[in-house]
Amino acid sequence: MHRTRAELDGDLCQLTAALPLWRRHWSDDAVFWPRVDSLIERLLTVTPRDDRCRVVSHINRIIAAQGLQHAPYE
């Protein structure tokens, strides 16, 4: 089942707020990134094809704005 644009926007806002908390909680990259990757993959799974590019772009901006180093999502 796909999420609506409003639901996706809410998910992206939650991701923005949660990333710094998760980073403090999981300071080890070997724990942090697999968990973040898993959550983002689940989000992308419910993203309609028409919104995927917008959501991926937003995710990459969130990560960059928080100074986190990670290969861009596609």
Side-chain angles (χ1 to χ4, degrees):
M1 176 159 67
H2 288 129
R3 313 251 309 150
T4 65
R5 182 169 268 206
E7 290 171 324
L8 291 169
D9 289 345
D11 293 340
L12 292 169
C13 286
Q14 289 178 1
L15 179 64
T16 301
L19 272 177
L21 299 172
W22 295 341
R23 189 60 176 152
R24 282 193 297 273
H25 184 71
W26 301 310
S27 58
D28 182 3
D29 280 351
V31 176
F32 176 72
W33 284 115
R35 290 179 186 227
V36 170
D37 288 339
S38 175
L39 291 166
I40 288 173
E41 284 303 316
R42 280 199 303 250
L43 175 60
L44 294 176
T45 299
V46 296
T47 301
R49 183 170 291 166
D50 294 347
D51 276 334
R52 186 175 172 92
C53 184
R54 180 184 71 85
V55 170
V56 167
S57 178
H58 199 93
I59 289 168
N60 288 329
R61 282 195 306 267
I62 291 168
I63 290 171
Q66 295 193 17
L68 299 171
Q69 300 294 319
H70 192 275
Y73 289 94
E74 296 180 359

